[in-house]
Amino acid sequence: MLEYKFLDGVLCIRLQGELDHSVAPALKQEIDALIASDRAKRVILDLSGLSFMDSTGVGLVLGRYKKLSQKGIPLTIRSPSSVASKVLQVSGITKLIQIIQ
């Protein structure tokens, strides 16, 4: 499930539940549509509500990072759940994308 809000040019996206191959395509489309609106000057991806994340989630995050980088828009990951945090560390995303608590 995805919730979002725009606040002063910042797009905050909160993901909840499981991030795997069954939900990733729909989430990708929703996030890409939000990015395409060109309202965001910065994107924060809140992963605190994730109970599961696999390599599909890594692909989703990296794909959005690349799209945003091409537009010069920074992406920050906020409060990854313990499950998401482990996957992000193992994948090396923590070296590319700023993570805040």
Side-chain angles (χ1 to χ4, degrees):
M1 185 167 121
L2 177 146
E3 297 174 351
Y4 73 92
K5 63 181 175 181
F6 282 98
L7 185 62
D8 296 329
V10 178
L11 169 60
C12 296
I13 301 170
R14 184 168 192 264
L15 301 180
Q16 297 182 75
E18 297 185 357
L19 178 49
D20 60 16
H21 70 280
S22 66
V23 297
L27 289 175
K28 177 183 167 186
Q29 285 185 336
E30 286 184 70
I31 294 170
D32 286 352
L34 292 169
I35 292 169
S37 73
D38 289 330
R39 291 174 55 194
K41 304 297 180 229
R42 178 176 174 216
V43 176
I44 297 174
L45 191 57
D46 183 333
L47 303 182
S48 62
L50 289 181
S51 59
F52 178 81
M53 180 175 165
D54 64 8
S55 61
T56 309
V58 171
L60 182 137
V61 172
L62 282 176
R64 295 333 90 210
Y65 170 76
K66 288 179 183 177
K67 276 187 178 286
L68 290 165
S69 293
Q70 291 171 351
K71 293 178 156 222
I73 300 171
L75 172 67
T76 302
I77 295 173
R78 179 171 58 201
S79 304
S81 66
S82 60
V83 172
S85 185
K86 288 177 188 174
V87 174
L88 295 172
Q89 288 174 359
V90 169
S91 69
I93 286 180
T94 56
K95 295 175 184 169
L96 288 175
I97 302 172
Q98 179 187 22
I99 297 180
I100 58 174
Q101 296 300 323

